[in-house]
Every structure is written in structure tokens, then in C-alpha cells.
């Protein structure tokens, strides 16, 4: 069936490094993609989104890249901080369907 | 303070009992959703509702029931028919129905079956 997955379940980085979290999606008809951050015991928080008519979108310290040719989505976090430690989920959908979530990547930032 | 609230934060249930999880939003959003999250897993859709008095099953609806009598409320009942109910339950909402909109999540309810 359709699924969204992340390449790595865990990622460990040093404070100040840039982090890249990857996600592969299987539905070429998807036209909306979101990254969420989830801290332990809390609900997911919206980070950034991108629609299929774009390749790149930047927010504050975060950038999302979309490569529709290979159905790949990535989240780049600049100057990673300890407060960025969390589980990051990508999600996708197309209009008229519910979001499909990946399994998540746990980002650990050490000082 | 606008947002989505879920209560209680922690819930314990004896096997064989039904239990209802609350989800309320004051964002005036049309659509609401319930997800289940298991350790190390992504979110799986249980039920969703795009308008009042209407709802649809998600991927794992068996053993659950919902109602949508008011726009701001979407309670989830975990019935005794749900064989493995221990999980973290998340409620979400979007401004309009199923569409390419950002979902806003509540803080979650952790249900433990004793």
C-alpha cells in the first residue's frame, strides 16, 4: 500500500552542526508535504510544509527540499540546538485524502 | 487561548471496559481527526470527521467509535472490542475538510489498559 518512510530511525549530531532528515514517499500523486516535530509525551508540532509545485521552501533555521523525480523529501536544520532534539515526522497527502505519516526519525543533539 | 485540548492526559482502564477520550477545539475548524501512536511508530488514522454529524473510518477503526454532535467536539470511545488499546492517542483538526491543509494537534492522551 501507499506509505511514507524515513531513511533512518535515529540521527545524532553535535550542537551547531547542520542536520538533514530524509523521507521517501511512494505516492507520486501526493501534492502536499509536511514536517512535524514531536517532543516526548506531546503532540506533533508543525514545522514547515511544501506543495508539489515547489522544490524548496525555507523557514527559520529550517529548509524543506522536495525532489519529485525520486519522490524524496528532506528537512534541513541549520545550527542544530539541544532544543531541536525530538522525533521528526514527514507526512504527505493529496487533496481529498487524509495525511499519511512516516514512522519518524529521532534526532539527538549533544552539546 | 485558541487550540486543541485533550483530556485526560493519562487514562487507565481495566480490560473489558469502554473508555471515552475527549477532544475539543476552539479554532472553528471544520475537520477533526483521531490518530493512534505506538512506540517507535508513526501516526495511524482511526476516524475523521469533515463536518458535524458526519464521520468516516480511517485505517484502524475496528474497536473504536466516535461522534460529532458539535463542531468543536470529537470524542473517541475505545471499546472492549479493541484488542490492544494501550497507546498514545492524538486528536487533530484542519480548517476545512480533508484537503491539503496543515493539521494542528492536541497534546495527546496516553491510555494504559491494566
Amino acid at each position: 500500500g501507499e506509505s511514507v518512510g524515513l531513511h533512518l530511525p535515529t540521527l545524532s549530531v553535535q550542537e551547531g552542526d547542520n542536520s538533514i532528515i530524509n523521507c521517501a514517499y511512494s505516492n507520486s500523486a501526493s501534492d502536499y508535504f509536511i514536517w512535524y516535530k514531536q517532543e516526548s509525551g506531546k503532540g506533533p508540532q508543525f514545522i514547515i510544509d511544501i506543495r508539489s509545485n515547489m522544490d524548496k521552501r525555507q523557514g527559520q533555521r529550517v529548509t524543506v527540499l522536495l525532489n519529485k523525480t525520486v519522490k524524496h523529501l528532506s528537512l534541513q536544520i541549520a545550527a542544530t540546538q539541544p532544543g531541536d532534539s525530538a522525533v521528526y515526522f514527514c507526512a504527505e497527502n493529496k487533496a481529498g485524502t487524509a495525511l499519511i505519516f512516516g514512522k519518524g526519525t529521532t534526532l539527538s543533539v549533544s552539546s | 487561548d485558541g487550540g486543541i485540548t485533550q483530556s485526560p492526559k493519562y487514562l487507565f482502564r481495566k480490560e473489558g471496559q469502554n473508555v471515552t477520550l475527549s477532544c475539543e477545539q476552539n479554532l472553528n475548524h471544520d475537520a477533526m481527526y483521531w490518530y493512534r501512536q505506538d512506540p517507535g511508530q508513526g501516526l495511524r488514522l482511526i476516524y475523521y470527521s469533515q463536518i458535524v454529524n458526519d464521520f468516516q473510518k480511517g485505517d484502524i477503526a475496528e474497536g473504536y467509535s466516535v461522534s460529532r454532535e458539535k463542531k468543536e467536539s470529537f470524542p473517541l470511545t475505545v471499546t472492549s472490542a479493541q484488542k490492544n488499546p494501550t497507546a498514545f492517542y492524538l486528536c487533530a483538526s484542519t480548517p476545512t475538510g480533508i484537503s491539503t491543509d496543515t493539521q494542528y494537534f492536541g497534546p495527546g492522551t496516553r491510555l494504559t489498559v491494566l
Side-chain angles (χ1 to χ4, degrees):
Chain A
E2 299 170 356
S3 65
V4 176
L6 289 166
H7 294 305
L8 292 174
T10 61
L11 177 65
S12 297
V13 301
Q14 291 285 323
E15 182 177 0
D17 287 351
N18 295 334
S19 302
I20 300 176
I21 301 172
N22 295 305
C23 177
Y25 63 94
S26 58
N27 187 357
S28 57
S30 291
D31 51 16
Y32 182 58
F33 305 88
I34 308 175
W35 281 101
Y36 285 95
K37 172 186 180 183
Q38 186 178 26
E39 296 175 335
S40 181
K42 296 183 179 180
Q45 287 178 281
F46 170 84
I47 301 173
I48 193 168
D49 60 1
I50 188 168
R51 299 193 186 273
S52 59
N53 60 352
M54 301 173 70
D55 297 321
K56 179 179 179 179
R57 191 159 187 229
Q58 288 185 291
Q60 189 175 18
R61 279 203 307 120
V62 294
T63 301
V64 56
L65 298 176
L66 176 63
N67 185 331
K68 295 180 286 294
T69 302
V70 296
K71 293 186 286 187
H72 184 266
L73 188 70
S74 69
L75 176 70
Q76 300 178 0
I77 304 174
T80 314
Q81 303 167 0
D84 294 327
S85 295
V87 180
Y88 290 81
F89 292 96
C90 64
E92 57 151 335
N93 79 338
K94 56 183 171 74
T97 68
L99 281 174
I100 300 172
F101 287 83
K103 291 187 177 180
T105 290
T106 299
L107 176 64
S108 299
V109 183
S110 52
S111 304
Chain B
D1 211 17
I4 303 174
T5 57
Q6 292 185 242
S7 61
K9 188 172 176 63
Y10 299 97
L11 188 56
F12 298 90
R13 182 195 105 176
K14 291 182 180 179
E15 229 174 301
Q17 288 181 334
N18 291 355
V19 63
T20 297
L21 283 59
S22 168
C23 178
E24 304 278 329
Q25 53 97 2
N26 61 3
L27 301 167
N28 200 33
H29 284 180
D30 286 334
M32 297 184 75
Y33 312 78
W34 273 106
Y35 292 91
R36 171 186 171 131
Q37 186 176 31
D38 294 285
Q41 300 293 314
L43 281 65
R44 292 186 290 168
L45 183 65
I46 304 173
Y47 267 99
Y48 64 97
S49 168
Q50 300 189 67
I51 55 172
V52 174
N53 292 323
D54 186 55
F55 48 82
Q56 288 80 40
K57 293 181 179 180
D59 299 322
I60 55 165
E62 186 175 350
Y64 300 98
S65 66
V66 293
S67 62
R68 188 84 188 279
E69 297 176 3
K70 298 186 295 183
K71 186 176 186 178
E72 59 270 24
S73 180
F74 191 40
L76 173 74
T77 297
V78 184
T79 75
S80 56
Q82 169 50 238
K83 297 306 177 190
N84 186 21
T86 295
F88 190 47
Y89 290 87
L90 288 157
C91 180
S93 70
T94 50
T96 58
I98 291 285
S99 66
T100 53
D101 270 334
T102 303
Q103 287 192 9
Y104 298 88
F105 284 86
T109 292
R110 187 166 297 281
L111 173 65
T112 302
V113 174
L114 305 173

